[in-house]
């Protein structure tokens, strides 16, 4: 028979169990409510930095449009969404990106040319695409796959495009050439020769080549006598900036200084030196003969504007160009803090959530998106960083391919492309950044 004390003790124990059960149930319900609240309000308890994040450390698949392995990387043309591939045998193939994939595109026509250079007759076939008044075509000469009697040059890359407006001639276009095989997949190659090409008969006349330039040790004309980039070919006046090392000899380290010149006459021989020892073969045209360029200084570099024969400093930087600061197009990125400067004025982009060592970066044509590719902790910690300048939100995506990324560029305002070299070939990647709101 139980005593009164035993009954009281059991009742107390039972009550404690009931209270614990109720507390556990309440905590479980609270946890579920809390999880739901945090799911629907993800930034409430986030740090100020994470509040700016649209998504952090997400899979790249969430913004992936296309990932395609090819034996040769896709290279951009002057026509939107149209790319090409070029091999050493001189085969050029065009493709158009349709939003999800690259589809082969038949060329508009083909130019069969024999181009005179350094006493050599260089044969080349240049298939081209012409659309809405824009001409873009490429060709490759290589002694690896030809029996022509060309002895000085083993490789020549060709491009045809529209002439600058001030030099436009009915039935003619601009023919560009360079002989540097390492630039075969460069986004903005340096062209060594420029001619006006008569499309009806294939004859060429000088644009920059005055045929009086110095001869190199191999018997070819000096390759750094005229150096011109795409940026210098958009001028609407007859003033076209280009680069040359014609007055320079290599220093103790084998480096040759580069000077900036300006072509001022239609015959290609009226050259005016603008600046000595520039920091890069880059110009940004303003029109009417004005442009910005980069000049080396004792403590770093400066962006400079040239107009009406006068120079003015835009921005001065006190660190190494190409190391602490890297350039893509008309933008310069500070690798230290993620700030992005324009080359042609004093405006900047202040990024957020920047924690990486970027190898490449790009800014969309409309200035809305910034994208960077690089590492964080080590070479295996590769990330793609995207910043929306309008909403000031950023996203960081894990990149599972750790190899070096190349040719980061925008196809349009919201679509970015690059390629990565791996054991299977060239992995061509296209991303949709419009999802970063």
């Amino acid at each position: 028979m139980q005593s009164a004390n035993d009954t009281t003790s059991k009742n107390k124990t039972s009550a404690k169990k009931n209270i614990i059960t109720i507390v556990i149930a309440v905590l479980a319900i609270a946890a579920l409510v809390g999880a739901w609240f945090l799911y629907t309000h993800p930034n409430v308890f986030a740090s100020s930095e994470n509040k700016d994040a649209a998504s952090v450390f997400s899979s790249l698949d969430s913004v992936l449009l296309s990932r395609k392995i090819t034996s040769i990387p896709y290279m951009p043309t002057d026509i939107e969404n149209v790319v090409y591939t070029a091999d050493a045998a001189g085969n050029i193939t065009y493709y158009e990106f349709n939003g999800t994939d690259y589809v082969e595109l038949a060329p508009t026509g083909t130019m069969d040319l024999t181009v005179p250079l350094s006493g050599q007759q260089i044969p080349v076939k240049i298939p081209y695409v012409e659309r809405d008044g824009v001409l873009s075509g490429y060709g490759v000469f290589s002694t690896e796959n030809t029996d022509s009697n060309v002895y000085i040059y083993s490789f020549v890359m060709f491009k045809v495009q529209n002439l600058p407006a001030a030099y436009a001639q009915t039935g003619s276009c601009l023919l560009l050439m360079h002989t540097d095989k390492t630039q075969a997949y460069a986004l903005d190659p340096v062209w060594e020769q420029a001619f006006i090409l008569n499309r009806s008969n294939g004859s060429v006349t000088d644009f920059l080549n005055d045929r009086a330039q110095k001869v190199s040790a191999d018997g070819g004309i000096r390759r750094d006598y005229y150096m011109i980039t795409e940026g210098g070919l958009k001028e609407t006046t007859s003033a076209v900036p280009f680069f040359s090392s014609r007055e320079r000899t290599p220093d103790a380290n084998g480096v040759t200084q580069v000077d900036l010149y300006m072509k001022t006459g239609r015959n290609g021989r009226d050259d005016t030196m603008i600046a000595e020892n520039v920091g890069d073969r880059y110009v940004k045209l303003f029109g009417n003969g004005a442009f910005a360029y980069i000049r080396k200084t004792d403590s770093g570099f400066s962006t400079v504007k040239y107009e009406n024969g006068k120079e003015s400093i835009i921005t001065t930087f006190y660190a190494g160009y190409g190391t602490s600061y890297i350039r893509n197009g008309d933008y310069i990125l500070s690798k230290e803090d993620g700030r992005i400067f324009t080359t042609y004025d004093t405006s900047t982009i202040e990024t957020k959530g920047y924690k990486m060592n970027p190898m490449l970066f790009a800014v969309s044509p409309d200035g809305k998106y910034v994208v960077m590719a690089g590492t964080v902790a080590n070479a295996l910690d590769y990330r793609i960083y995207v910043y929306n300048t309008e909403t000031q939100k950023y996203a960081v995506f894990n990149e599972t391919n750790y190899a070096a990324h190349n040719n980061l560029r925008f196809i349009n305002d919201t679509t970015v492309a690059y390629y990565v070299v791996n054991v299977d070939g060239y992995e061509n990647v296209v991303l949709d950044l419009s999802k970063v709101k």
Side-chain angles (χ1 to χ4, degrees):
M1 186 175 195
Q2 291 180 329
S3 65
N5 289 337
D6 290 338
T7 301
T8 301
S9 176
K10 286 184 177 182
N11 289 339
K12 287 182 179 180
T13 300
S14 177
K16 286 180 181 180
K17 288 181 178 180
N18 290 336
I19 291 171
I20 291 172
T21 300
I22 292 170
V23 169
I24 291 173
V26 170
L27 290 174
I29 293 170
L32 290 173
V33 171
W36 171 85
F37 183 80
L38 289 174
Y39 177 78
T40 56
H41 300 79
N43 293 324
V44 168
F45 298 111
S47 66
S48 59
E49 176 182 303
N50 286 337
K51 285 182 180 180
D52 296 323
S55 56
V56 180
F57 310 133
S58 300
S59 168
L60 197 62
D61 290 341
S62 61
V63 292
L64 185 67
L65 284 177
S66 174
R67 187 189 297 273
K68 192 169 187 177
I69 301 292
T70 59
S71 58
I72 307 168
Y74 294 127
M75 297 297 298
T77 70
D78 294 336
I79 300 174
E80 185 175 333
N81 291 328
V82 176
V83 299
Y84 74 95
T85 59
D87 63 23
N91 298 311
I92 307 293
T93 306
Y94 292 96
Y95 301 86
E96 186 164 15
F97 186 72
N98 63 9
T100 57
D101 198 7
Y102 291 96
V103 179
E104 187 169 341
L105 177 67
T108 306
T110 300
M111 300 180 187
D112 286 286
L113 305 176
T114 300
V115 183
L117 186 64
S118 302
Q120 310 282 283
Q121 299 296 318
I122 304 175
V124 63
K125 290 182 180 293
I126 303 179
Y128 62 88
V129 176
E130 199 161 14
R131 181 181 294 179
D132 299 326
V134 179
L135 170 68
S136 190
Y138 299 85
V140 174
F141 165 82
S142 173
T143 54
E144 296 177 16
N145 292 284
T146 183
D147 57 358
S148 64
N149 297 319
V150 177
Y151 304 105
I152 294 176
Y153 303 104
S154 61
F155 170 87
V156 185
M157 186 80 186
F158 293 85
K159 181 185 180 185
V160 291
Q161 64 181 59
N162 293 341
L163 279 158
Y167 296 86
Q169 301 176 23
T170 302
S172 295
C173 63
L174 186 67
L175 174 66
L176 301 170
M177 307 165 60
H178 76 72
T179 60
D180 184 357
K181 197 171 185 178
T182 65
Q183 292 194 88
Y185 300 142
L187 275 182
D188 189 15
V190 177
W191 302 99
E192 303 164 12
Q193 304 294 333
F195 300 98
I196 297 174
L197 171 66
N198 185 314
R199 296 180 63 175
S200 63
N201 60 22
S203 63
V204 297
T205 54
D206 298 338
F207 183 75
L208 286 181
N209 187 346
D210 64 4
R211 304 188 185 279
Q213 52 190 287
K214 298 176 182 178
V215 176
S216 300
D218 62 3
I221 55 178
R222 184 166 167 173
R223 292 165 173 80
D224 61 356
Y225 195 89
Y226 283 116
M227 296 178 286
I228 193 166
T229 59
E230 298 291 339
L233 293 168
K234 303 184 188 307
E235 182 60 275
T236 57
T237 69
S238 61
V240 177
F242 65 93
F243 304 90
S244 180
S245 297
R246 65 182 68 172
E247 304 297 333
R248 306 294 175 181
T249 55
D251 61 18
N253 298 317
V255 178
T256 305
Q257 292 182 4
V258 175
D259 303 324
L260 174 60
Y261 286 76
M262 184 168 63
K263 167 185 168 62
T264 56
R266 291 181 67 93
N267 63 11
R269 295 179 176 86
D270 300 330
D271 301 344
T272 302
M273 181 185 285
I274 302 301
E276 295 182 341
N277 193 20
V278 296
D280 195 0
R281 290 171 293 190
Y282 162 82
V283 289
K284 165 68 175 179
L285 300 176
F286 296 111
N288 297 321
F291 49 85
Y293 68 94
I294 295 169
R295 170 185 285 156
K296 292 180 181 178
T297 65
D298 292 338
S299 56
F301 65 99
S302 297
T303 50
V304 181
K305 182 177 182 180
Y306 175 87
E307 186 174 18
N308 296 325
K310 297 181 180 180
E311 296 179 348
S312 57
I313 301 297
I314 301 172
T315 306
T316 299
F317 301 85
Y318 298 97
Y321 180 75
T323 52
S324 298
Y325 291 88
I326 57 177
R327 181 186 63 82
N328 185 352
D330 300 330
Y331 296 92
I332 297 174
L333 168 67
S334 168
K335 296 180 69 173
E336 180 180 355
D337 56 21
R339 283 184 299 165
I340 296 175
F341 302 82
T342 53
T343 60
Y344 51 87
D345 61 25
T346 58
S347 60
T348 60
I349 299 173
E350 301 277 351
T351 60
K352 294 186 177 182
Y354 175 82
K355 294 180 179 179
M356 67 188 307
N357 176 31
M359 311 299 181
L360 300 169
F361 82 102
V363 179
S364 63
D366 62 358
K368 180 177 179 179
Y369 288 103
V370 172
V371 59
M372 302 182 196
T375 59
V376 180
N378 53 59
L380 300 182
D381 190 11
Y382 212 98
R383 306 276 171 82
I384 302 294
Y385 165 94
V386 180
Y387 178 65
N388 186 321
T389 64
E390 293 182 358
T391 63
Q392 298 185 0
K393 301 288 186 180
Y394 70 92
V396 183
F397 300 97
N398 289 321
E399 170 63 292
T400 56
N401 195 328
Y402 309 132
H405 289 47
N406 300 274
N407 288 10
L408 184 68
R409 68 188 190 280
F410 276 87
I411 297 176
N412 53 46
D413 287 336
T414 60
T415 310
V416 73
Y418 60 85
Y419 75 80
V420 184
V421 183
N422 56 34
V423 293
D424 298 317
Y426 293 89
E427 183 179 78
N428 300 272
V429 179
V430 184
L431 306 177
D432 177 14
L433 303 191
S434 65
K435 297 182 180 181
V436 181
K437 303 295 186 180

